Amino acid sequence: MTHSVCVIGAGRIGRIHASNFAALKGAAVRYVVDPVAEAAEALASAVGARPASLEEALKDPAVHGVAICSATSTHADLIEKAAAAGKAIFCEKPVALDMERTLKSVEAVKKAGVPLFLAFNRRFDPQFAALRKAIDGGSIGKVEMVQITSRDSAPPPASYVATSGGLFKDMMIHDLDMARWLLGEEPVLVSAVASCLVDPAIGAEGDVDSAAVTLQTASGRICQISNSRRAVYGYDQRIEVHGSDGLAQAGNVLENTVRISGVKGTTDARLLDFFLERYAGAYKAEAAHFLEVMEGKSKPLVSGDDGIQALKLAEAAAKSLATGMAVAP
């Protein structure tokens, strides 16, 4: 049986997810929904679907799942409409930028009894998944400290920052989710420092572009997160987990594996330059997992409740920055 998906949003991330669903055995894209008709038509043509209105797509019993890839401000409303229509839901992070709206949408999903998969894609990255597997297998003993480095190759335009929710909710929220996933315990204390060091225009929008956050769990486990909106050497994504019996590390992915050595030293290839390249494997794995969710073979590995907890940490980081104090999420 083929499980059909309606993709909402024909922008950059919508095109990625639509292509992955279209290429997945057992899945198909039936509709593409986007307010820009030309964009919807182009993507629909590329993946063997057809453009449609949201109402038409949600009424069609042949649609088993909805992939919400539109602007963040639309997520909560679309989640609630898809839930009311009885569809399985795949949604890009976050559910919403404020806690009240997030809680309302997650509750609507629970009342409807449909699955909601929140696309924190880094859990599905092959490198990070292997790291987690090593931890679960006891390779490094008891987890004690986690170090997460996440730096964009270039800052976004200030116009994006103005509606993004800020660095903690837009960028670091991925790392906050990873921290929970790797620590194995919920953080109970959050401390943040941050500055605007990269682009004054970001500061003019009231945001920061460089931040460091420390999380601590009730048992004392510690996670440190380093974020920057600029890394001139490429898209920098690294994780280190220190345990009682050893150390597990997941390094950067390079453009190629060629290493050149000579009398002046050794050089490696450059880091991948963009998140769509770096996490291409993760996006494919997400699509495969959501197909299993639609088939009833699996429950979402990242739920609406995970989105709530990540947002709590992001809000706590912002409060810590504002007050200069460590705060409880």
Side-chain angles (χ1 to χ4, degrees):
M1 177 181 178
T2 298
H3 285 71
S4 295
V5 176
C6 165
V7 174
I8 304 174
R12 183 173 62 188
I13 197 65
R15 293 193 295 270
I16 293 293
H17 290 312
S19 296
N20 287 335
F21 282 122
L24 189 62
K25 184 178 179 181
V29 181
R30 187 171 180 87
Y31 300 113
V32 175
V33 175
D34 195 283
V36 180
E38 295 81 2
E41 290 168 1
L43 180 55
S45 176
V47 297
R50 70 180 183 87
S53 67
L54 178 64
E55 293 72 20
E56 179 185 3
L58 293 182
K59 286 180 181 178
D60 189 342
V63 172
H64 302 95
V66 172
I68 300 171
C69 312
S70 49
T72 296
S73 60
T74 68
H75 289 182
D77 285 344
L78 291 170
I79 286 172
E80 290 165 13
K81 289 178 180 179
K87 310 299 185 184
I89 305 164
F90 175 116
C91 185
E92 273 297 321
K93 64 81 192 169
V95 171
L97 293 175
D98 67 276
M99 186 57 71
E100 182 179 359
R101 194 71 183 87
T102 299
L103 292 170
K104 181 175 180 286
S105 289
V106 173
E107 183 60 27
V109 168
K110 291 179 179 179
K111 286 183 178 179
V114 298
L116 167 61
F117 169 68
L118 197 58
F120 277 114
N121 63 295
R122 295 182 190 183
R123 295 196 192 197
F124 293 83
D125 172 66
Q127 314 300 321
F128 298 157
L131 182 75
R132 171 62 188 263
K133 185 176 181 181
I135 294 169
D136 291 345
S139 297
I140 62 169
K142 181 181 177 182
V143 171
E144 295 174 348
M145 298 184 73
V146 177
Q147 176 72 49
I148 300 174
T149 300
S150 179
R151 298 169 184 153
D152 289 346
S153 55
S159 58
Y160 170 82
V161 170
T163 60
S164 70
L167 182 143
F168 295 121
K169 292 181 180 180
D170 173 57
M171 180 181 179
M172 189 180 287
I173 198 165
H174 278 291
D175 306 308
L176 295 168
D177 178 69
M178 288 298 292
R180 296 181 57 243
W181 191 54
L182 296 172
L183 284 168
E185 299 175 354
E186 293 295 343
V188 298
L189 199 63
V190 181
S191 179
V193 293
S195 303
C196 188
L197 302 174
V198 175
D199 185 354
I202 291 177
E205 293 293 343
D207 197 12
V208 296
D209 54 33
S210 309
V213 166
T214 300
L215 311 173
Q216 188 171 20
T217 70
S219 73
R221 296 181 183 185
I222 296 169
C223 176
Q224 295 171 298
I225 300 172
S226 172
N227 274 184
S228 174
R229 289 288 195 181
R230 178 196 60 211
V232 297
Y233 48 90
Y235 189 51
D236 190 359
Q237 303 285 293
R238 292 171 281 137
I239 295 178
E240 176 180 291
V241 183
H242 177 261
S244 56
D245 295 333
L247 177 73
Q249 296 172 293
N252 277 307
V253 179
L254 308 182
E255 290 179 343
N256 59 64
T257 60
V258 176
R259 171 172 288 183
I260 299 173
S261 298
V263 295
K264 293 183 179 180
T266 300
T267 60
D268 292 315
R270 197 176 188 276
L271 306 187
L272 293 176
D273 201 47
F274 200 45
F275 73 92
L276 293 180
E277 298 170 301
R278 171 62 179 81
Y279 289 116
Y283 293 130
K284 291 177 181 178
E286 282 183 323
H289 173 61
F290 189 62
L291 175 58
E292 292 185 346
V293 170
M294 290 190 293
E295 291 172 335
K297 296 178 180 178
S298 176
K299 292 183 178 180
L301 293 177
V302 191
S303 67
D305 288 333
D306 289 309
I308 290 170
Q309 294 305 317
L311 183 59
K312 281 183 179 179
L313 294 176
E315 291 187 339
K319 183 177 180 180
S320 174
L321 178 63
T323 62
M325 300 174 64
V327 300

